Amino acid sequence: MEAYKQEFIEFMVESQVLKFGEFTLKSGRKSPFFMNAGAYVTGSQLRRLGEYYAKAIHDNFGLDFDVLFGPAYKGIPLAVAAAMAISQLYGKDVRYCSNRKEEKDHGDTGILLGSKLKSGDRVVIIEDVTTSGKSIEETFPILKAQGDVQVKGLIVSLDRMERGKGEKSALKEMRDLYGFDTAAIVDMAEVTGYLYGRECQGKVLIDEGIKKALDAYYSQYGAK
């Protein structure tokens, strides 16, 4: 596993974004882990997060694209932070763009924030984590309505690797439905493999008990 992926796993733990225990998700599933990207709140955290996204985008999609699109609202700071990191790490200037939940009819009018989109633009969508694909269902038509826009892919921070609406993961469902590639900085198999039995931030987060709970969870909800 690449060094930046290992660093990112430790960063999630350090930032209290990734936790293990017993959690009830919005879906009603009882999960032994929980990720809350809303816990990234400081300037240094956002700088580092942008760098991890930038490296993952570079590895999965290259730099042959024009715009980073972050769906409102959580995707907005992600798009800004990653665009800045791509400029710093790779010397490549990409624009950022996000949507509004409500279209604005005065001043900076329209449904979009940041850069406008035009025909020929190549776009990478950036999100925190995707479980149902609902935000993409809402924003993909907005992107396509701006002209002949090509979506090159979707990047998320963590692939939960569990079933979406069918037997496949939400990321694979979106890839098949919309025809663009999907990727993550890390997936839960990598997280589990790295943290199992290892001390991180002064504690072993995945011990035998948590490992058994993870195995049971994925036996029931894991994607095919």
Side-chain angles (χ1 to χ4, degrees), residues 39-178:
Y40 297 121
V41 293
T42 70
S44 61
Q45 286 175 332
L46 290 172
R47 175 186 55 78
R48 291 175 63 188
L49 181 61
E51 290 173 356
Y52 293 126
Y53 267 112
K55 292 175 181 179
I57 289 168
H58 175 269
D59 283 3
N60 287 280
F61 305 118
L63 297 174
D64 192 22
F65 67 97
D66 308 293
V67 181
L68 266 177
F69 182 85
Y73 289 104
K74 287 184 178 180
I76 297 174
L78 300 180
V80 173
M84 293 173 67
I86 288 171
S87 175
Q88 181 179 16
L89 294 177
Y90 302 109
K92 165 82 172 182
D93 256 343
V94 298
R95 291 139 48 208
Y96 99 90
C97 179
S98 298
N99 64 298
R100 292 184 171 99
K101 290 290 188 179
E102 300 85 19
E103 188 167 356
K104 190 177 179 183
D105 60 5
H106 62 280
D108 182 19
T109 60
I111 194 70
L112 299 179
L113 289 168
S115 173
K116 302 301 182 185
L117 297 176
K118 59 183 184 298
S119 292
D121 277 341
R122 299 158 301 175
V123 178
V124 171
I125 303 172
I126 182 169
E127 283 207 291
D128 55 352
V129 64
T130 296
T131 52
S132 67
K134 182 179 179 181
S135 67
I136 302 302
E137 291 177 6
E138 295 173 350
T139 58
F140 188 75
I142 295 173
L143 291 174
K144 301 305 288 186
Q146 307 308 309
D148 185 16
V149 174
Q150 176 193 358
V151 178
K152 291 200 65 174
L154 165 69
I155 185 79
V156 300
S157 61
L158 176 67
D159 180 0
R160 291 183 60 97
M161 298 180 69
E162 58 190 81
R163 295 199 306 271
K165 296 177 180 178
E167 294 298 310
K168 298 178 182 178
S169 70
L171 284 180
K172 289 182 179 179
E173 286 178 347
M174 284 185 287
R175 181 194 65 190
D176 294 346
L177 180 61
Y178 297 109

